[in-house]
Amino acid sequence: GRSNVGKSSLINMICNRKALAFTSKRPGKTQQFNYFEVNGSSKMRNAFYLVDMPGHGYAKVSSDLKESWQNLLRRYVLERRSL
């Protein structure tokens, strides 16, 4: 995802939880893909995942790791049948 646009804050707002996804005043703190299952109890049939992704621009990680994130996301979008 784009850097410093509030991806973690959006997840917290959608789920009505202040600290579900970690937020920081400094961009680039999310450094892994964090999956949050929504409506995932056994009685709910409309379960889905929200994914908090690193921002590619500000993350303080190696170029190789950034490239692996881009490849993971590209493969997911291209190969996922339900998209």
Side-chain angles (χ1 to χ4, degrees):
R2 292 196 50 145
S3 294
N4 205 25
V5 294
K7 297 178 294 289
S8 301
S9 297
L10 178 63
I11 288 173
N12 289 336
M13 185 188 73
I14 290 170
C15 295
N16 199 26
R17 304 256 313 263
K18 279 191 169 193
L20 180 64
F22 177 76
T23 59
S24 171
K25 292 182 181 184
R26 290 183 31 214
K29 286 298 187 182
T30 303
Q31 296 190 357
Q32 59 189 7
F33 287 72
N34 297 302
Y35 294 79
F36 299 96
E37 186 177 24
V38 179
N39 293 338
S41 72
S42 59
K43 295 179 183 180
M44 301 293 284
R45 295 180 187 233
N46 297 326
F48 62 93
Y49 288 94
L50 292 174
V51 182
D52 192 10
M53 305 182 325
H56 302 302
Y58 287 99
K60 305 283 190 243
V61 296
S62 70
S63 321
D64 289 341
L65 184 54
K66 284 183 187 181
E67 187 176 329
S68 74
W69 291 341
Q70 290 171 347
N71 290 336
L72 175 68
L73 186 57
R74 182 180 302 111
R75 279 189 25 235
Y76 178 79
V77 170
L78 292 175
E79 297 174 12
R80 180 77 178 170
R81 290 182 189 171
S82 64
L83 294 178

XYZ file of all heavy atoms in Angstrom:
670
model
N 0.801 -1.190 0.000
C 0.000 0.000 0.000
C 0.844 1.253 0.000
O 2.029 1.204 0.279
N 0.240 2.344 -0.295
C 0.941 3.630 -0.276
C 1.357 3.958 1.145
O 0.693 3.600 2.099
C 0.043 4.717 -0.833
C -0.195 4.504 -2.316
C -0.740 5.703 -2.956
N 0.072 6.856 -2.608
C 0.317 7.847 -3.404
N -0.165 7.836 -4.613
N 1.028 8.879 -3.012
N 2.443 4.677 1.271
C 2.972 5.031 2.580
C 2.218 6.202 3.193
O 1.808 7.122 2.496
C 4.443 5.407 2.451
O 5.194 4.296 2.063
N 2.070 6.132 4.499
C 1.571 7.248 5.293
C 0.171 7.710 4.883
O -0.109 8.904 4.849
C 2.569 8.413 5.228
C 2.454 9.309 6.434
O 2.022 8.871 7.487
N 2.827 10.556 6.282
N -0.715 6.769 4.555
C -2.085 7.129 4.193
C -3.104 6.677 5.239
O -4.284 6.884 5.058
C -2.491 6.565 2.808
C -1.674 7.203 1.717
C -2.383 5.070 2.770
N -2.658 6.034 6.308
C -3.570 5.650 7.379
C -4.189 4.276 7.228
O -5.327 4.066 7.659
N -3.464 3.318 6.639
C -4.010 1.967 6.470
C -4.350 1.337 7.819
O -5.421 0.780 7.997
C -3.017 1.089 5.702
C -2.748 1.565 4.288
C -1.716 0.702 3.581
C -0.345 0.783 4.172
N 0.377 2.040 3.974
N -3.448 1.455 8.793
C -3.685 0.880 10.128
C -4.840 1.598 10.821
O -5.694 0.962 11.445
C -2.418 0.983 10.980
O -1.340 0.306 10.358
N -4.879 2.910 10.708
C -5.974 3.681 11.321
C -7.321 3.310 10.713
O -8.331 3.229 11.414
C -5.729 5.179 11.143
O -4.556 5.568 11.816
N -7.354 3.068 9.413
C -8.594 2.673 8.744
C -9.086 1.328 9.272
O -10.277 1.157 9.533
C -8.394 2.625 7.232
C -9.609 2.177 6.422
C -10.756 3.167 6.594
C -9.237 2.028 4.959
N -8.179 0.379 9.454
C -8.567 -0.925 9.996
C -9.149 -0.750 11.395
O -10.184 -1.337 11.726
C -7.371 -1.900 9.993
C -7.079 -2.325 8.557
C -7.633 -3.107 10.885
C -5.843 -3.153 8.383
N -8.514 0.071 12.223
C -9.038 0.320 13.574
C -10.429 0.948 13.522
O -11.310 0.582 14.299
C -8.078 1.212 14.360
C -6.809 0.496 14.738
O -6.764 -0.724 14.824
N -5.745 1.248 14.962
N -10.638 1.878 12.603
C -11.933 2.539 12.495
C -13.016 1.558 12.021
O -14.103 1.503 12.586
C -11.851 3.711 11.514
C -13.132 4.521 11.428
S -13.090 5.742 10.128
C -13.252 4.712 8.683
N -12.727 0.773 11.007
C -13.698 -0.191 10.479
C -14.107 -1.195 11.555
O -15.278 -1.561 11.668
C -13.138 -0.914 9.238
C -13.060 0.057 8.063
C -13.976 -2.134 8.874
C -12.307 -0.499 6.861
N -13.137 -1.636 12.350
C -13.410 -2.646 13.375
C -13.864 -2.037 14.702
O -14.123 -2.775 15.650
C -12.162 -3.492 13.596
S -11.716 -4.454 12.141
N -13.931 -0.690 14.759
C -14.346 0.012 15.974
C -13.479 -0.371 17.173
O -13.973 -0.624 18.268
C -15.824 -0.231 16.271
C -16.391 0.800 17.218
O -15.902 1.918 17.292
N -17.418 0.416 17.962
N -12.173 -0.453 16.928
C -11.195 -0.767 17.975
C -10.047 0.220 17.864
O -9.531 0.448 16.779
C -10.649 -2.189 17.791
C -11.680 -3.285 17.754
C -11.784 -4.116 19.006
N -10.578 -4.580 19.581
C -10.054 -5.785 19.389
N -10.623 -6.635 18.569
N -8.956 -6.126 20.019
N -9.626 0.792 18.968
C -8.574 1.823 18.930
C -7.184 1.257 18.655
O -6.357 1.939 18.061
C -8.536 2.588 20.244
C -9.578 3.649 20.342
C -9.313 4.527 21.536
C -10.213 5.740 21.464
N -9.835 6.768 22.393
N -6.897 0.063 19.114
C -5.527 -0.434 19.036
C -5.429 -1.828 18.435
O -4.538 -2.592 18.792
C -4.896 -0.405 20.419
N -6.335 -2.172 17.546
C -6.232 -3.489 16.903
C -4.988 -3.536 16.021
O -4.133 -4.397 16.174
C -7.487 -3.762 16.067
C -7.527 -5.094 15.337
C -7.530 -6.249 16.326
C -8.760 -5.166 14.448
N -4.880 -2.586 15.112
C -3.688 -2.466 14.265
C -2.810 -1.367 14.859
O -3.293 -0.291 15.195
C -4.080 -2.123 12.835
N -1.531 -1.640 14.988
C -0.606 -0.674 15.566
C -0.504 0.568 14.693
O -0.385 0.469 13.469
C 0.783 -1.306 15.726
C 1.815 -0.344 16.251
C 1.830 -0.004 17.592
C 2.746 0.217 15.403
C 2.775 0.887 18.078
C 3.694 1.108 15.887
C 3.708 1.441 17.225
N -0.568 1.738 15.319
C -0.395 2.995 14.593
C 0.740 3.779 15.227
O 1.067 3.588 16.394
C -1.671 3.862 14.625
O -1.999 4.142 15.975
C -2.839 3.163 13.944
N 1.339 4.649 14.433
C 2.455 5.467 14.903
C 2.415 6.808 14.199
O 1.853 6.929 13.106
C 3.772 4.754 14.585
O 4.865 5.603 14.837
N 2.992 7.817 14.810
C 3.084 9.117 14.158
C 4.144 9.109 13.064
O 4.119 9.927 12.160
C 3.396 10.205 15.182
C 2.250 10.444 16.132
C 2.546 11.556 17.097
C 1.341 11.716 18.026
N 1.497 12.822 18.931
N 5.078 8.191 13.157
C 6.125 8.083 12.143
C 5.732 7.054 11.095
O 5.357 5.932 11.435
C 7.443 7.666 12.794
C 8.019 8.773 13.657
C 9.358 8.435 14.263
N 10.160 7.556 13.458
C 10.973 6.639 13.964
N 11.060 6.483 15.265
N 11.697 5.888 13.177
N 5.816 7.393 9.819
C 5.474 6.435 8.760
C 6.490 5.299 8.685
O 7.626 5.432 9.132
C 5.512 7.282 7.488
C 6.347 8.463 7.820
C 6.212 8.686 9.293
N 6.044 4.184 8.132
C 6.942 3.058 7.887
C 7.057 2.077 9.030
O 7.933 1.221 9.028
N 6.170 2.153 10.013
C 6.261 1.245 11.159
C 5.717 -0.151 10.859
O 6.165 -1.122 11.443
C 5.525 1.833 12.365
C 6.282 2.965 13.012
C 7.604 2.473 13.525
C 8.329 3.526 14.326
N 9.629 3.052 14.772
N 4.734 -0.260 9.980
C 4.222 -1.585 9.619
C 5.248 -2.236 8.707
O 5.531 -1.734 7.622
C 2.860 -1.475 8.912
O 1.948 -0.784 9.766
C 2.303 -2.851 8.573
N 5.824 -3.362 9.146
C 6.881 -3.997 8.372
C 6.589 -5.460 8.062
O 7.479 -6.229 7.729
C 8.215 -3.858 9.101
C 8.622 -2.412 9.221
C 10.033 -2.245 9.723
O 10.719 -3.206 10.052
N 10.488 -1.018 9.781
N 5.318 -5.825 8.160
C 4.892 -7.169 7.767
C 3.423 -7.101 7.381
O 2.759 -6.112 7.634
C 5.101 -8.158 8.904
C 4.343 -7.809 10.165
C 4.757 -8.685 11.329
O 5.693 -9.463 11.238
N 4.060 -8.579 12.425
N 2.928 -8.141 6.761
C 1.517 -8.207 6.403
C 0.773 -8.740 7.629
O 1.050 -9.834 8.103
C 1.308 -9.137 5.208
C 1.776 -8.554 3.909
C 3.118 -8.415 3.628
C 0.861 -8.136 2.958
C 3.547 -7.873 2.435
C 1.275 -7.584 1.756
C 2.622 -7.452 1.499
N -0.163 -7.961 8.161
C -0.944 -8.346 9.330
C -2.380 -8.611 8.898
O -3.039 -7.725 8.358
C -0.913 -7.231 10.378
C 0.484 -6.971 10.884
O 1.130 -7.866 11.405
N 0.966 -5.753 10.722
N -2.847 -9.830 9.138
C -4.188 -10.252 8.723
C -5.128 -10.209 9.910
O -4.822 -10.747 10.973
C -4.140 -11.681 8.172
C -3.355 -11.803 6.897
C -1.964 -11.848 6.906
C -4.006 -11.869 5.670
C -1.248 -11.943 5.728
C -3.294 -11.963 4.483
C -1.910 -12.005 4.530
O -1.213 -12.094 3.371
N -6.296 -9.565 9.722
C -7.312 -9.478 10.760
C -8.584 -10.130 10.228
O -9.150 -9.674 9.233
C -7.580 -8.010 11.120
C -6.358 -7.302 11.646
C -5.567 -6.545 10.799
C -5.994 -7.424 12.976
C -4.436 -5.899 11.271
C -4.864 -6.776 13.464
C -4.086 -6.019 12.608
N -9.017 -11.211 10.887
C -10.243 -11.895 10.488
C -11.446 -11.157 11.074
O -11.491 -10.886 12.273
C -10.225 -13.342 10.967
C -11.396 -14.153 10.458
C -11.321 -15.600 10.892
O -10.669 -15.890 11.914
O -11.906 -16.443 10.207
N -12.404 -10.834 10.231
C -13.602 -10.108 10.637
C -14.796 -11.038 10.468
O -14.923 -11.716 9.451
C -13.784 -8.827 9.782
C -15.044 -8.078 10.186
C -12.556 -7.934 9.897
N -15.681 -11.073 11.457
C -16.855 -11.957 11.451
C -16.433 -13.421 11.335
O -17.063 -14.195 10.634
C -17.822 -11.620 10.311
C -18.468 -10.279 10.480
O -18.543 -9.752 11.572
N -18.931 -9.709 9.391
N -15.402 -13.796 12.042
C -14.845 -15.135 11.892
C -15.361 -16.179 12.852
O -14.866 -17.288 12.863
N -16.361 -15.869 13.674
C -16.862 -16.881 14.597
C -17.567 -17.984 13.811
O -18.007 -17.791 12.683
C -17.820 -16.264 15.622
O -19.033 -15.915 15.002
N -17.696 -19.147 14.415
C -18.276 -20.296 13.712
C -19.731 -20.062 13.282
O -20.220 -20.715 12.387
C -18.184 -21.540 14.594
O -18.880 -21.320 15.797
N -20.438 -19.131 13.933
C -21.832 -18.873 13.599
C -21.983 -17.876 12.442
O -23.052 -17.739 11.876
C -22.575 -18.347 14.824
C -22.658 -19.368 15.935
C -23.373 -18.805 17.139
C -23.353 -19.848 18.260
N -24.017 -19.371 19.451
N -20.930 -17.166 12.117
C -20.990 -16.151 11.055
C -20.497 -16.754 9.742
O -19.470 -17.403 9.704
C -20.125 -14.938 11.416
C -20.508 -14.259 12.710
S -22.104 -13.478 12.649
C -21.707 -12.048 11.709
N -21.222 -16.511 8.671
C -20.821 -17.046 7.371
C -20.212 -15.993 6.463
O -19.759 -16.292 5.392
C -22.020 -17.671 6.678
C -22.537 -18.873 7.418
C -23.707 -19.465 6.701
N -24.277 -20.505 7.535
C -24.496 -21.724 7.108
N -24.241 -22.050 5.883
N -24.993 -22.614 7.913
N -20.194 -14.751 6.906
C -19.682 -13.668 6.076
C -18.293 -13.228 6.516
O -17.991 -12.047 6.535
C -20.636 -12.472 6.119
C -21.989 -12.820 5.543
O -22.078 -13.606 4.616
N -23.033 -12.248 6.098
N -17.450 -14.161 6.869
C -16.109 -13.825 7.336
C -15.256 -13.305 6.185
O -15.420 -13.705 5.035
C -15.445 -15.042 7.960
N -14.362 -12.378 6.517
C -13.405 -11.870 5.548
C -12.184 -11.365 6.302
O -12.193 -11.278 7.531
C -14.016 -10.763 4.679
C -14.457 -9.542 5.441
C -13.617 -8.452 5.599
C -15.731 -9.492 6.000
C -14.026 -7.337 6.305
C -16.157 -8.368 6.703
C -15.292 -7.288 6.856
N -11.127 -11.070 5.581
C -9.901 -10.573 6.179
C -9.634 -9.141 5.754
O -9.843 -8.775 4.599
C -8.694 -11.416 5.739
C -8.656 -12.780 6.363
C -9.210 -13.877 5.712
C -8.069 -12.984 7.599
C -9.178 -15.133 6.277
C -8.032 -14.236 8.179
C -8.587 -15.301 7.512
O -8.561 -16.537 8.079
N -9.161 -8.335 6.693
C -8.569 -7.044 6.397
C -7.068 -7.235 6.565
O -6.626 -7.879 7.525
C -9.059 -5.976 7.371
C -10.521 -5.588 7.259
C -10.894 -4.624 8.388
C -10.790 -4.938 5.917
N -6.292 -6.720 5.646
C -4.845 -6.908 5.690
C -4.172 -5.548 5.801
O -4.379 -4.674 4.959
C -4.331 -7.654 4.435
C -2.830 -7.887 4.534
C -5.073 -8.970 4.255
N -3.383 -5.388 6.842
C -2.589 -4.179 7.028
C -1.235 -4.440 6.387
O -0.513 -5.350 6.786
C -2.438 -3.871 8.523
C -1.881 -2.497 8.788
O -1.782 -1.689 7.835
O -1.544 -2.215 9.951
N -0.917 -3.650 5.378
C 0.304 -3.879 4.603
C 1.330 -2.783 4.861
O 0.969 -1.657 5.182
C -0.014 -3.889 3.109
C -1.068 -4.876 2.727
S -1.413 -4.943 0.950
C -1.212 -3.284 0.401
N 2.591 -3.116 4.687
C 3.623 -2.087 4.822
C 3.507 -1.060 3.702
O 3.093 -1.387 2.595
C 4.939 -2.857 4.680
C 4.594 -4.296 4.671
C 3.135 -4.422 4.388
N 3.887 0.169 4.003
C 3.999 1.191 2.970
C 5.362 1.066 2.321
O 6.382 1.039 3.006
N 5.400 0.975 1.027
C 6.671 0.712 0.349
C 7.639 1.886 0.398
O 8.834 1.711 0.285
C 6.424 0.336 -1.116
C 5.537 -0.853 -1.275
N 5.839 -2.067 -0.721
C 4.350 -1.006 -1.889
C 4.881 -2.923 -1.011
N 3.957 -2.301 -1.713
N 7.156 3.094 0.570
C 8.022 4.258 0.485
C 8.838 4.551 1.736
O 9.986 4.936 1.653
N 8.242 4.376 2.914
C 8.902 4.813 4.145
C 9.485 3.685 4.982
O 10.209 3.956 5.930
C 7.913 5.584 5.027
C 7.589 6.955 4.514
C 6.426 7.177 3.797
C 8.434 8.021 4.750
C 6.108 8.438 3.335
C 8.134 9.284 4.288
C 6.968 9.489 3.580
O 6.662 10.724 3.123
N 9.152 2.454 4.704
C 9.606 1.352 5.543
C 11.130 1.299 5.567
O 11.783 1.363 4.535
C 9.036 0.035 5.049
N 11.679 1.196 6.759
C 13.133 1.141 6.937
C 13.585 -0.318 6.884
O 13.942 -0.914 7.888
C 13.523 1.757 8.275
C 13.020 3.160 8.476
C 13.857 4.152 7.708
C 13.489 5.562 8.108
N 12.946 6.354 7.051
N 13.531 -0.888 5.687
C 13.929 -2.276 5.481
C 14.783 -2.355 4.214
O 14.863 -1.394 3.449
C 12.703 -3.213 5.354
C 11.899 -3.240 6.643
C 11.818 -2.798 4.205
N 15.363 -3.505 3.994
C 16.237 -3.686 2.834
C 15.440 -3.662 1.527
O 14.235 -3.910 1.506
C 16.981 -5.016 2.948
O 16.078 -6.093 2.779
N 16.134 -3.372 0.454
C 15.505 -3.387 -0.880
C 14.984 -4.771 -1.214
O 13.943 -4.902 -1.855
C 16.489 -2.994 -1.969
O 17.323 -1.973 -1.579
N 15.707 -5.803 -0.775
C 15.261 -7.174 -1.045
C 13.919 -7.457 -0.376
O 13.047 -8.094 -0.968
C 16.301 -8.187 -0.559
C 17.553 -8.193 -1.400
O 17.509 -7.706 -2.553
O 18.587 -8.690 -0.909
N 13.751 -6.987 0.865
C 12.483 -7.214 1.563
C 11.355 -6.438 0.887
O 10.267 -6.968 0.685
C 12.594 -6.831 3.035
C 11.368 -7.109 3.899
C 10.928 -8.569 3.788
C 11.652 -6.754 5.348
N 11.605 -5.194 0.501
C 10.587 -4.422 -0.216
C 10.193 -5.120 -1.507
O 9.019 -5.192 -1.859
C 11.094 -3.011 -0.527
C 11.104 -2.092 0.649
C 11.539 -0.701 0.232
C 11.724 0.207 1.419
N 12.123 1.557 1.044
N 11.171 -5.651 -2.208
C 10.889 -6.367 -3.462
C 10.061 -7.614 -3.192
O 9.138 -7.931 -3.948
C 12.188 -6.732 -4.167
C 11.978 -7.330 -5.534
C 13.299 -7.595 -6.253
O 14.258 -6.861 -6.021
O 13.331 -8.557 -7.047
N 10.341 -8.321 -2.099
C 9.557 -9.523 -1.776
C 8.113 -9.152 -1.452
O 7.187 -9.876 -1.808
C 10.199 -10.314 -0.638
O 10.020 -9.678 0.596
N 7.892 -7.995 -0.781
C 6.523 -7.529 -0.524
C 5.804 -7.264 -1.834
O 4.649 -7.653 -2.010
C 6.533 -6.244 0.285
C 6.998 -6.350 1.698
C 7.083 -7.482 2.465
C 7.442 -5.284 2.525
N 7.549 -7.168 3.708
C 7.776 -5.830 3.778
C 7.587 -3.916 2.336
C 8.246 -5.051 4.831
C 8.051 -3.136 3.390
C 8.374 -3.703 4.608
N 6.480 -6.584 -2.747
C 5.865 -6.262 -4.037
C 5.521 -7.528 -4.806
O 4.449 -7.630 -5.406
C 6.786 -5.367 -4.855
C 6.909 -3.981 -4.278
C 7.991 -3.147 -4.941
O 8.822 -3.657 -5.684
N 7.989 -1.853 -4.668
N 6.419 -8.517 -4.785
C 6.155 -9.785 -5.473
C 4.981 -10.528 -4.847
O 4.147 -11.088 -5.558
C 7.406 -10.664 -5.475
C 8.487 -10.119 -6.371
O 8.230 -9.376 -7.318
N 9.730 -10.461 -6.074
N 4.911 -10.540 -3.523
C 3.801 -11.203 -2.830
C 2.472 -10.559 -3.212
O 1.515 -11.249 -3.571
C 4.006 -11.130 -1.316
C 2.879 -11.684 -0.454
C 2.770 -13.193 -0.617
C 3.114 -11.332 1.007
N 2.421 -9.251 -3.176
C 1.191 -8.541 -3.512
C 0.825 -8.737 -4.985
O -0.333 -8.979 -5.321
C 1.341 -7.058 -3.190
C 0.095 -6.211 -3.355
C -1.054 -6.743 -2.509
C 0.394 -4.763 -2.980
N 1.798 -8.656 -5.860
C 1.551 -8.843 -7.290
C 0.987 -10.242 -7.566
O -0.013 -10.394 -8.262
C 2.847 -8.636 -8.088
C 2.663 -8.755 -9.594
C 3.971 -8.537 -10.371
N 4.562 -7.247 -10.086
C 5.702 -7.065 -9.398
N 6.388 -8.092 -8.933
N 6.171 -5.864 -9.178
N 1.604 -11.265 -6.976
C 1.119 -12.642 -7.165
C -0.296 -12.796 -6.632
O -1.143 -13.444 -7.255
C 2.052 -13.639 -6.479
C 3.272 -13.951 -7.293
C 4.122 -15.097 -6.750
N 3.417 -16.048 -5.933
C 3.777 -16.379 -4.691
N 4.813 -15.828 -4.119
N 3.084 -17.258 -4.019
N -0.567 -12.218 -5.472
C -1.903 -12.326 -4.883
C -2.952 -11.719 -5.813
O -3.973 -12.341 -6.102
C -1.944 -11.635 -3.519
C -3.310 -11.675 -2.887
C -3.753 -12.829 -2.253
C -4.164 -10.587 -2.952
C -5.011 -12.885 -1.689
C -5.421 -10.637 -2.389
C -5.844 -11.791 -1.762
O -7.094 -11.846 -1.209
N -2.696 -10.528 -6.292
C -3.675 -9.844 -7.151
C -3.849 -10.575 -8.470
O -4.969 -10.743 -8.965
C -3.257 -8.377 -7.389
C -4.103 -7.722 -8.460
C -3.350 -7.597 -6.085
N -2.777 -11.079 -9.043
C -2.861 -11.735 -10.350
C -3.438 -13.151 -10.271
O -4.088 -13.607 -11.201
C -1.487 -11.782 -11.011
C -0.911 -10.442 -11.441
C 0.515 -10.617 -11.971
C -1.797 -9.778 -12.477
N -3.219 -13.848 -9.160
C -3.592 -15.258 -9.075
C -4.856 -15.530 -8.260
O -5.385 -16.638 -8.299
C -2.425 -16.065 -8.499
C -1.199 -16.017 -9.394
C 0.009 -16.694 -8.774
O -0.142 -17.398 -7.749
O 1.107 -16.499 -9.310
N -5.366 -14.553 -7.539
C -6.538 -14.766 -6.702
C -7.777 -14.839 -7.572
O -8.129 -13.901 -8.276
C -6.643 -13.614 -5.693
C -7.795 -13.715 -4.777
C -7.547 -14.699 -3.706
N -8.722 -14.690 -2.821
C -8.911 -15.564 -1.891
N -8.026 -16.502 -1.684
N -9.980 -15.506 -1.154
N -8.493 -15.943 -7.514
C -9.663 -16.157 -8.374
C -10.810 -15.207 -8.051
O -11.532 -14.781 -8.935
C -10.170 -17.587 -8.230
C -9.237 -18.577 -8.834
C -9.804 -19.957 -8.710
N -8.786 -20.918 -9.110
C -8.916 -22.192 -8.952
N -10.001 -22.698 -8.418
N -7.963 -22.998 -9.349
N -11.005 -14.898 -6.771
C -12.165 -14.102 -6.398
C -11.990 -12.608 -6.653
O -12.891 -11.833 -6.410
C -12.508 -14.322 -4.920
O -11.454 -13.852 -4.106
N -10.830 -12.206 -7.111
C -10.640 -10.780 -7.416
C -11.083 -10.572 -8.811
O -11.009 -10.109 -9.679
C -9.181 -10.346 -7.220
C -8.698 -10.390 -5.782
C -7.229 -9.995 -5.704
C -9.504 -9.419 -4.936
